[in-house]
Amino acid sequence: MKFGTKAIHAGVHPDPSTGAIMTPIFQTSTYVQRSPGDHKGYEYSRTHNPTRTQLQNALAALENGKHGLCFASGMAAIDCIVKLLEPGDEVVSTNDLYGGSYRLFTKVFAKYGIKFTFVPMHDVAAVRAAMTERTKLVWAETPTNPLLHIIDIKAIAEAAHEGGALLVVDNTFATPYLQNPLDLGADVVMHSLTKYMGGHSDVVMGALIVQDDELHQRLAFLQNACGGTPGPQDCFLVLRGLKTLHIRMQRHCENGRAVAEYLRQHPKVEKVYWPGLESHPGHQVARQQMRDFGGMMSFVLKGDRVEDATAVLEKFQLFSLAESLGGVESLSGHPASMTHASIPAEERRKAGLSDSLIRLSVGIEDAEDLIEDLAQALG
Ligand SMILES: *Cc1c(COP(=O)(O)O)cnc(C)c1O
């Protein structure tokens, strides 16, 4: 089955009791049993809920996996994976990791005796060098935020498996429309469904998708034991979002290209970071492992002054200044003062995060209007 058909049909079935074509919102905490232990597969909604089951199945199908698990947020999904580990275990991760993941690793799990090492992951040799016999997880994210670095998933999977570790890929930026990490050797795909998958900026949720039955059982145990599960109404909203994922992503990619090409030739713009540009250092790997290049990008202004970036951000009419990404509407952000403010200025500069760097989540409006907005804001 092709992707668009899967997005609409895979994993979901009309409701057997009424024929309702859309998965009902099973707003219930518990389920009646005929006799003790004799039930229809549902006992308590932290453990299982039919709306969540259909969403989990749909996600598994889209990522070419066997099992999906949903959580109350992307962070709750990440939390669940790290809880597979024991004190003394080690994790190798990328040095331009999503800020919330970095905070969870270093401020929460480090104190339970789990060690995290951060390396520039587009360099596979650096990953190999950082791995020890205690390394149980390799944590990758590609493209990264906000510089859109590309990590070679196949190469990192080989390195992880040679060292006996599992590879997790945070696929939030790419979505399964652009890239399927399980097909490239990853063991777990993680999503913040809050972003492109939900797609309408109206829900916060996360997910894990795996192939292996035993790994699924260990994660499902933790999902139920720790309890960071989503409500059925939110599951319904993500299920609805998934039905248009392919057409939304197609437009995000088209608009992404139009905006990147406009910015690239603008006299006030110093540099554009978008993996679809041939000048992007990860372009070749992106062409191999992704089907297109998405709607996330960032750019730096000539002169690199914070005041200039602030002026542009204040002038935007359509690119609303807000955290988050991946919704139908275009958003703008200033990493140095917003998402990456907790990183000291010196560290930021070392990681290539200029003070005037502006991040865009290019939405699915008409490209002409988006370019007009950029022209007036930069003018
Ligand atoms: C937003 C995001 C997360 C965290 O997800 P929440 O749903 O906000 O908890 C993790 N990784 C990436 C890449 C994200 O963009």
Side-chain angles (χ1 to χ4, degrees):
M1 210 187 276
K2 293 264 199 312
F3 191 88
T5 313
K6 269 206 266 187
I8 293 167
H9 295 287
V12 297
H13 303 285
D15 178 47
S17 64
T18 61
I21 193 159
M22 286 299 139
T23 306
I25 301 168
F26 284 90
Q27 194 76 49
T28 187
S29 62
T30 190
Y31 307 81
V32 176
Q33 309 193 4
R34 267 172 308 236
S35 152
D38 178 9
H39 54 74
K40 299 174 176 172
Y42 293 93
E43 295 161 275
Y44 186 60
S45 278
R46 173 167 23 80
T47 324
H48 297 108
N49 174 283
T51 316
R52 193 172 98 212
T53 302
Q54 298 224 14
L55 173 59
Q56 293 182 156
N57 293 343
L59 292 166
L62 289 177
E63 281 291 9
N64 299 336
K66 197 164 162 199
H67 307 282
L69 294 151
C70 287
F71 296 85
S73 67
M75 293 319 301
I78 298 172
D79 174 80
C80 182
I81 302 176
V82 183
K83 283 176 177 158
L84 291 169
L85 306 180
E86 308 277 336
D89 286 348
E90 298 182 7
V91 180
V92 174
S93 186
T94 173
N95 64 351
D96 58 350
L97 190 64
Y98 173 71
S101 311
Y102 181 81
R103 180 175 56 196
L104 180 68
F105 293 171
T106 58
K107 296 270 178 356
V108 180
F109 281 112
K111 70 177 185 234
Y112 294 108
I114 296 167
K115 189 178 158 206
F116 297 88
T117 313
F118 301 94
V119 299
M121 214 169 246
H122 43 272
D123 175 8
V124 186
V127 176
R128 283 212 165 81
M131 288 181 70
T132 74
E133 71 249 27
R134 309 249 26 192
T135 305
K136 295 287 162 56
L137 278 188
V138 173
W139 192 286
E141 192 182 310
T142 181
T144 66
N145 178 20
L147 291 177
L148 287 300
H149 284 306
I150 301 293
I151 289 169
D152 184 337
I153 299 173
K154 227 181 215 168
I156 299 291
E158 270 168 33
H161 295 158
E162 272 168 31
L166 295 177
L167 173 64
V168 184
V169 175
D170 181 338
N171 205 28
T172 300
F173 267 40
T175 83
Y177 177 83
L178 295 179
Q179 128 189 317
N180 293 114
L182 295 178
D183 294 348
L184 299 165
D187 301 283
V188 185
V189 171
M190 178 259 146
H191 277 285
S192 168
L193 301 175
T194 314
K195 316 294 168 52
Y196 287 107
M197 302 287 266
H200 296 73
S201 308
D202 53 7
V203 67
V204 171
M205 209 193 290
L208 303 176
I209 298 105
V210 300
Q211 198 65 264
D212 184 73
D213 296 335
E214 199 244 307
L215 180 58
H216 168 248
Q217 287 203 336
R218 289 167 66 204
L219 291 166
F221 169 82
L222 289 166
Q223 180 196 36
N224 181 52
C226 302
T229 48
Q233 175 109 24
D234 285 354
C235 293
F236 173 87
L237 286 172
V238 176
L239 268 170
R240 182 159 78 168
L242 290 183
K243 292 186 194 295
T244 55
L245 179 65
H246 52 304
I247 47 177
R248 286 187 287 109
M249 287 308 294
Q250 188 185 345
R251 181 66 95 89
H252 282 296
C253 293
E254 283 167 20
N255 285 357
R257 174 168 299 282
V259 168
E261 282 180 350
Y262 172 77
L263 288 172
R264 186 171 58 159
Q265 53 76 50
H266 197 285
K268 290 198 180 153
V269 173
E270 176 71 39
K271 194 162 182 188
V272 181
Y273 298 91
W274 185 64
L277 294 175
E278 272 177 34
S279 55
H280 188 287
H283 179 69
Q284 284 312 325
V285 176
R287 282 179 67 120
Q288 281 160 28
Q289 68 186 20
M290 297 171 75
R291 296 176 196 99
D292 204 334
F293 305 102
M296 292 305 300
M297 71 187 64
S298 54
F299 64 99
V300 180
L301 297 173
K302 288 231 166 89
D304 195 28
R305 280 182 295 270
V306 180
E307 316 83 83
D308 294 346
T310 308
V312 171
L313 289 161
E314 285 175 354
K315 275 199 247 165
F316 277 140
Q317 298 292 316
L318 286 173
F319 285 91
S320 305
L321 179 61
E323 307 253 358
S324 201
L325 61 106
V328 289
E329 65 289 314
S330 293
L331 296 180
S332 59
H334 184 231
S337 65
M338 293 167 73
T339 45
H340 294 66
S342 57
I343 303 171
E346 185 121 333
E347 292 283 314
R348 275 206 308 267
R349 227 154 287 137
K350 254 194 264 165
L353 282 173
S354 311
D355 284 346
S356 73
L357 187 81
I358 292 174
R359 189 188 81 176
L360 300 179
S361 170
V362 179
I364 63 171
E365 300 94 337
D366 287 298
E368 291 85 345
D369 292 326
L370 296 179
I371 284 166
E372 207 171 284
D373 193 32
L374 287 163
Q376 67 77 23
L378 285 163

